[in-house]
Amino acid sequence: MGKDFLFVGEEYKVQVSSSDFYIDLLLHHRGLQCLVAFELKADKFKPEHLGQLNFYVKHLIEIRKKDMRIQI
Protein backbone atom coordinates (compact mmCIF):
# COMPACT_ATOMS: atom_id res chain seq x y z
CA MET A 1 0.00 0.00 0.00
CA GLY A 2 2.86 2.38 0.63
CA LYS A 3 5.04 3.75 3.38
CA ASP A 4 2.44 6.04 5.01
CA PHE A 5 -0.13 3.31 5.73
CA LEU A 6 -0.47 1.76 9.15
CA PHE A 7 -2.32 -1.47 9.80
CA VAL A 8 -5.20 -0.96 12.26
CA GLY A 9 -6.78 -4.38 12.07
CA GLU A 10 -8.50 -7.12 10.16
CA GLU A 11 -12.06 -8.06 10.99
CA TYR A 12 -12.18 -4.71 12.81
CA LYS A 13 -15.31 -4.60 14.97
CA VAL A 14 -17.79 -1.74 14.57
CA GLN A 15 -20.58 -1.80 17.12
CA VAL A 16 -23.90 -0.21 16.14
CA SER A 17 -26.57 -0.28 18.85
CA SER A 18 -26.35 -3.84 20.13
CA SER A 19 -25.09 -5.38 16.87
CA ASP A 20 -21.49 -6.09 15.87
CA PHE A 21 -20.22 -5.66 12.31
CA TYR A 22 -16.72 -6.37 11.02
CA ILE A 23 -14.64 -4.44 8.49
CA ASP A 24 -12.41 -6.84 6.56
CA LEU A 25 -9.34 -4.60 6.62
CA LEU A 26 -8.79 -1.19 8.23
CA LEU A 27 -5.72 0.97 7.60
CA HIS A 28 -4.70 4.49 8.65
CA HIS A 29 -2.83 6.88 6.35
CA ARG A 30 -0.38 8.98 8.40
CA GLY A 31 0.07 11.74 5.84
CA LEU A 32 -3.62 12.25 5.12
CA GLN A 33 -4.72 11.48 8.70
CA CYS A 34 -7.59 9.30 7.49
CA LEU A 35 -8.86 5.77 7.78
CA VAL A 36 -9.09 3.45 4.76
CA ALA A 37 -11.59 0.59 4.96
CA PHE A 38 -11.51 -2.45 2.67
CA GLU A 39 -14.36 -4.89 2.22
CA LEU A 40 -13.05 -7.98 0.43
CA LYS A 41 -15.37 -9.95 -1.87
CA ALA A 42 -14.69 -13.05 -3.95
CA ASP A 43 -17.63 -12.65 -6.32
CA LYS A 44 -18.73 -10.04 -8.87
CA PHE A 45 -19.67 -6.55 -7.75
CA LYS A 46 -23.21 -6.07 -6.46
CA PRO A 47 -24.71 -2.70 -5.44
CA GLU A 48 -25.28 -3.97 -1.90
CA HIS A 49 -21.50 -4.31 -1.49
CA LEU A 50 -21.17 -0.55 -1.87
CA GLY A 51 -24.01 -0.06 0.60
CA GLN A 52 -22.18 -2.19 3.14
CA LEU A 53 -18.98 -0.19 2.73
CA ASN A 54 -20.89 3.11 3.01
CA PHE A 55 -22.47 1.81 6.22
CA TYR A 56 -19.00 1.17 7.69
CA VAL A 57 -17.63 4.55 6.57
CA LYS A 58 -20.62 6.37 8.09
CA HIS A 59 -20.03 4.75 11.46
CA LEU A 60 -16.27 5.31 11.37
CA ILE A 61 -16.98 9.02 10.79
CA GLU A 62 -19.38 9.07 13.75
CA ILE A 63 -16.77 7.41 15.96
CA ARG A 64 -14.19 10.01 14.92
CA LYS A 65 -16.63 12.88 15.54
CA LYS A 66 -17.19 11.62 19.06
CA ASP A 67 -13.41 11.95 19.51
CA MET A 68 -13.02 8.28 20.31
CA ARG A 69 -9.45 7.61 19.20
CA ILE A 70 -8.79 4.36 17.37
CA GLN A 71 -5.79 2.63 18.90
CA ILE A 72 -3.03 2.23 16.32
Side-chain angles (χ1 to χ4, degrees), residues 39-51:
E39 187 63 25
L40 305 173
K41 302 292 183 193
D43 54 348
K44 290 185 176 187
F45 174 78
K46 296 177 185 171
E48 53 265 25
H49 296 163
L50 186 56

Side-chain angles (χ1 to χ4, degrees), residues 19-61:
S19 299
D20 294 336
F21 300 92
Y22 297 90
I23 299 172
D24 287 340
L25 186 59
L26 187 63
L27 304 174
H28 181 267
H29 191 279
R30 291 186 300 183
L32 298 175
Q33 292 296 303
C34 68
L35 294 170
V36 180
F38 288 89
E39 187 63 25
L40 305 173
K41 302 292 183 193
D43 54 348
K44 290 185 176 187
F45 174 78
K46 296 177 185 171
E48 53 265 25
H49 296 163
L50 186 56
Q52 183 180 17
L53 190 55
N54 285 334
F55 173 78
Y56 293 149
V57 169
K58 175 185 168 195
H59 290 288
L60 288 172
I61 289 170

Side-chain angles (χ1 to χ4, degrees), residues 2-16:
K3 64 179 181 171
D4 285 337
F5 282 95
L6 300 171
F7 177 77
V8 176
E10 62 180 279
E11 294 296 315
Y12 186 85
K13 184 168 82 170
V14 175
Q15 193 168 33
V16 180

